[in-house]
Amino acid sequence: MSNTEKTRTTVDIYGTQYVILGTENQSHVRHVASLVDKKMREIGSRNPLLDVNKLAVLTAVNAVNDFVKMKEQLEKLQSELQKEKD
């Protein structure tokens, strides 16, 4: 088990309060939660008939898509940097 202290942070995402337990500082957790809330509201405004579960899944798909794109871009940049070093 880790010795890292965990912090509880209460956030509001799409009208529901969640208690997030983790090692990140509270401002980071609040920032992440606000991005999730913003994305859910953006998708929800374009698809007002979606129930909250489908909305959450679409938000997760969007977030993971962005993550994969950034990861691929980072790997490409790291590869280019390594080529310059060689």
Side-chain angles (χ1 to χ4, degrees):
M1 186 141 189
S2 172
N3 290 336
T4 306
E5 188 175 326
K6 294 190 178 185
T7 305
R8 289 182 188 275
T9 306
T10 302
V11 297
D12 186 86
I13 300 173
Y14 207 70
T16 301
Q17 286 199 341
Y18 297 90
V19 177
I20 309 294
L21 179 65
T23 57
E24 299 291 344
N25 67 48
Q26 289 186 338
S27 68
H28 176 80
V29 173
R30 285 191 180 104
H31 177 66
V32 170
S34 73
L35 293 174
V36 172
D37 181 71
K38 181 179 176 182
K39 182 56 85 173
M40 286 184 75
R41 291 183 187 285
E42 177 186 315
I43 293 170
S45 71
R46 290 181 295 190
N47 304 282
L49 300 179
L50 284 177
D51 65 53
V52 73
N53 291 327
K54 289 181 181 179
L55 181 58
V57 169
L58 285 176
T59 301
V61 169
N62 272 267
V64 172
N65 180 57
D66 290 346
F67 169 78
V68 169
K69 284 181 180 180
M70 283 189 254
K71 186 175 178 187
E72 290 170 350
Q73 185 179 16
L74 174 62
E75 290 169 354
K76 180 182 175 187
L77 291 171
Q78 287 173 326
S79 176
E80 290 172 3
L81 184 60
Q82 187 61 43
K83 285 178 185 176
E84 289 182 14
K85 287 182 178 180
D86 293 340

